[in-house]
Amino acid sequence: MEALHVYDTTLRDGAQQEGLNLSVSDKLAIAGLLDDLGVDFIEGGWPGANPKDTEFFERARAELHLRHATLAAFGATRRAGGVAARDPLVQALVDSGASVVCLVAKSHTGHVERALRTTLDENLEMVHDTVTHLVGQGRRVFVDCEHFFDGWRLDRDYALSVVRTAHDAGAEVVVLCDTNGGMLPHQVEEVVADVIASTGARIGAHCHNDTGCAAANSVAAVRAGATHVQGTVNGYGERTGNADLVTVAANLQLKLGLDALDPEALRLATHIAHAISEVTNVPAYSRQPYVGASAFAHKAGLHASALKVDPDLYQHLDPALVGNGMRTLVSDMAGRASIELKAREAGLDVSDRPDLVASVLAEVKELELRGWTFDAADATVELMLREALDPGCTDYFEVESWRVITDSSGEGDATSEATVKLRAAGARLIATGEGNGPVNALDHALREALARAYPEIEKLELIDFKVRILDASHGTDAVTRVLIETSDGETSWDTIGVAGSILAASWRALTDGIVHGLLRQGVPRR
């Protein structure tokens, strides 16, 4: 069997999910997390089709330093009646700098004739011309055969001719797409086996979840001979989503014994899935296979008594293999090892301080019970550890008070004004800031005040702000969680705040982000 490809399309197909909107910075952050997960390919988007994806590839060349994954650009075959070498969207794929190009091609006769409005022969020529051109430009080419399974059922011979054309033109992989998501596993196995036997091409699978079978269909495709699987982290995607790539990879590796991801990378799966959830601002699904908060959770009673004897009695595998943990109580999944790992990542040695580890762990558990989550807020955890190791080391300033006033004339946007009073460098500092919202005004006021004591703060910039309402059934009285990303121009870090007020939660995340930035720069307290 050829080495299995794990191909992620979170940044392209996953981003088509209703209500999911990613900035270029979001996409770069997610790409870094996907690389940590160890996927083989990261589909960054469709350069030339929209400015955001074009910018992503431009910035990726300078800012994205992938250790394992290869960046892929998505695009389409050239226009009917044209020439690939002169097609601007095909040229945009070359200009993206991506070494891998994934082309979508029609393999369903109805789509060729009614959507593309061209002939079946011209469609084959479009596939051949585009693949040949891109291969000639030194690109590895994958071809996604859109609506393949439905097309195979409608006109098997034509669907197979598209696969043969792509393969003969030099496509490295031909991916069979269940675009409508209507297939069942036995149907996928039948079609994949037929395509491999009939064409000799290397085959991949791209499955949607409209029957609830996307992950199962992906595994079925591999069982039938496919050596390339596509999907998205957390199953993001339009309608009911795509195959959840973590579920697929874990099933292939832990159940079928195939080499999908590096075992050490797979141990990061829970952390990465939750961290990506924070970046997308889409709540993590607690009952998600393998990585969900409830995936290995057990209520008291019969289960708990059996688990004391042998955890395997009520678990299908060791949750540590995917970075998750067994729970018998409603609490976070962190253990002493998690705290020690966080400390090691921050360059802190707590190996001889079990008391400190236990204290921080207890604090983490208490905060998580109140709605905090630290999967994507490593900077906040680091501050907790540093303060526990060296009390007072994070006391760069003492807050006396802060307030925000928002005013509107009744027309247009409201404006906000914030005033902060604090003590730093032996002085009482008062500053006022204005902004297009209360958090923006607080950020300006805080920076203006602290700049007098710590001019190094000028390097720090708030680059992302996300709000999530906890216990939404409480309406406007619900607890709010705020995640803020701060940057020093070279790297970035995330901090979290949780409170009954969005402003109080934002204030905590803001101040922690600044303190962490000053610590990173080695700025002494004044």
Side-chain angles (χ1 to χ4, degrees):
M1 180 178 179
E2 295 174 286
L4 184 67
H5 286 175
V6 177
Y7 183 106
D8 182 271
T9 181
T10 302
L11 303 182
R12 201 274 307 172
D13 212 1
Q16 297 184 56
Q17 176 166 310
E18 183 178 5
L20 197 160
N21 297 291
L22 300 176
S23 67
V24 175
S25 294
D26 287 338
K27 295 181 68 164
L28 291 167
I30 292 172
L33 290 166
L34 293 171
D35 189 44
D36 291 340
L37 182 61
V39 303
D40 298 300
F41 301 93
I42 299 171
E43 190 172 79
W46 190 332
N50 64 75
K52 185 186 295 183
D53 284 359
T54 301
E55 181 185 345
F56 169 80
F57 283 96
E58 291 173 354
R59 290 180 57 182
R61 287 196 290 271
E63 301 176 35
L64 198 56
H65 306 290
L66 301 176
R67 296 173 315 225
H68 178 83
T70 299
L71 194 62
F74 180 85
T77 55
R78 59 126 169 116
R79 294 181 178 88
V83 177
R86 294 196 293 271
D87 190 298
L89 286 178
V90 174
Q91 184 58 42
L93 295 170
V94 176
D95 294 341
S96 73
S99 60
V100 174
V101 171
C102 187
L103 293 171
V104 62
K106 300 293 186 184
S107 54
H108 183 295
T109 56
H111 281 267
V112 173
E113 295 170 335
R114 297 197 298 274
L116 284 183
R117 296 183 180 180
T118 191
T119 65
L120 300 183
D121 287 341
E122 171 63 5
N123 180 59
L124 294 177
E125 182 55 33
M126 290 160 61
V127 173
H128 187 275
D129 183 20
T130 311
V131 173
T132 302
H133 173 70
L134 289 169
V135 170
Q137 293 293 313
R139 300 302 188 268
R140 298 171 65 185
V141 179
F142 303 160
V143 173
D144 279 3
C145 287
E146 190 180 39
H147 297 281
F148 184 85
F149 293 90
D150 295 315
W152 182 91
R153 292 198 297 185
L154 178 67
D155 188 333
R156 172 182 173 272
D157 290 343
Y158 186 76
L160 291 175
S161 72
V162 176
V163 176
R164 291 193 189 96
T165 298
H167 176 61
D168 293 345
E172 183 176 324
V173 180
V174 181
V175 183
L176 313 185
C177 301
D178 182 18
T179 310
N180 289 339
M183 295 295 108
L184 298 175
H186 71 282
Q187 297 169 317
V188 170
E189 284 200 12
E190 176 191 3
V191 174
V192 171
D194 176 54
V195 173
I196 292 173
S198 302
T199 67
R202 180 172 187 173
I203 295 302
H206 177 113
C207 300
H208 284 252
N209 201 40
D210 298 74
T211 60
C213 293
N217 286 343
S218 300
V219 172
V222 173
R223 282 173 49 83
T227 56
H228 171 113
V229 288
Q230 297 188 358
T232 62
V233 170
N234 298 325
Y236 297 140
E238 59 188 337
R239 303 188 312 278
T240 59
N242 288 43
D244 185 325
L245 200 61
V246 171
T247 301
V248 173
N251 282 337
L252 293 174
Q253 184 148 327
L254 301 176
K255 302 300 183 179
L256 297 184
L258 302 177
D259 292 328
L261 299 174
D262 180 89
E264 291 305 309
L266 189 59
R267 289 178 182 271
L268 299 174
T270 298
H271 164 73
I272 289 172
H274 289 212
I276 290 176
S277 176
E278 291 295 337
V279 176
T280 61
N281 208 25
V282 175
Y285 179 49
S286 64
R287 292 191 293 278
Q288 188 173 347
Y290 291 102
V291 300
S294 301
F296 300 95
H298 307 274
K299 286 188 176 181
L302 179 63
H303 283 211
S305 61
L307 288 167
K308 289 181 181 179
V309 178
D310 183 356
D312 291 341
L313 291 174
Y314 276 97
Q315 295 184 157
H316 66 101
L317 53 71
D318 179 1
L321 294 173
V322 291
N324 210 332
M326 182 185 77
R327 293 187 299 137
T328 55
L329 297 173
V330 178
S331 65
D332 68 286
M333 295 175 288
R336 290 175 181 266
S338 299
I339 301 301
E340 292 172 358
L341 178 60
K342 291 293 183 187
R344 195 177 310 135
E345 290 174 355
L348 305 174
D349 184 8
V350 297
S351 57
D352 60 347
R353 294 292 305 276
D355 57 327
L356 183 146
V357 172
S359 174
V360 173
L361 178 58
E363 184 179 2
V364 166
K365 287 186 175 183
E366 173 62 25
L367 289 173
E368 291 227 358
L369 285 173
R370 287 157 42 194
W372 295 64
T373 181
F374 298 98
D375 291 306
D378 285 349
T380 298
V381 177
E382 182 180 333
L383 290 179
M384 293 166 61
L385 284 163
R386 290 189 180 278
E387 185 63 29
L389 278 169
D390 182 13
C393 72
T394 63
D395 295 340
Y396 278 89
F397 50 90
E398 177 184 351
V399 179
E400 183 177 309
S401 67
W402 56 266
R403 68 177 182 181
V404 182
I405 299 171
T406 300
D407 181 59
S408 174
S409 63
E411 298 179 4
D413 295 333
T415 58
S416 297
E417 179 183 288
T419 300
V420 299
K421 299 178 183 179
L422 50 83
R423 293 184 178 275
R428 184 170 185 259
L429 306 172
I430 303 174
T432 299
E434 294 183 342
N436 56 13
V439 177
N440 186 231
L442 271 175
D443 183 40
H444 289 167
L446 180 61
R447 291 169 185 281
E448 183 176 337
L450 286 176
R452 305 172 202 172
Y454 302 104
E456 297 90 346
I457 201 174
E458 294 296 332
K459 291 185 63 178
L460 308 183
E461 179 184 7
L462 189 161
I463 62 173
D464 203 2
F465 172 80
K466 289 186 172 67
V467 178
R468 183 169 296 169
I469 304 300
L470 309 179
D471 300 321
S473 60
H474 287 239
T476 57
D477 195 35
V479 173
T480 301
R481 182 164 72 216
V482 169
L483 190 73
I484 283 179
E485 184 178 3
T486 309
S487 173
D488 58 7
E490 298 177 1
T491 186
S492 64
W493 52 92
D494 296 285
T495 50
I496 190 173
V498 176
S501 159
I502 185 175
L503 292 181
S506 300
W507 177 260
R508 171 63 188 269
L510 269 175
T511 54
D512 277 3
I514 286 174
V515 168
H516 189 268
L518 294 174
L519 280 168
R520 286 180 79 95
Q521 295 182 65
V523 178
R525 285 173 288 137
R526 297 170 187 143

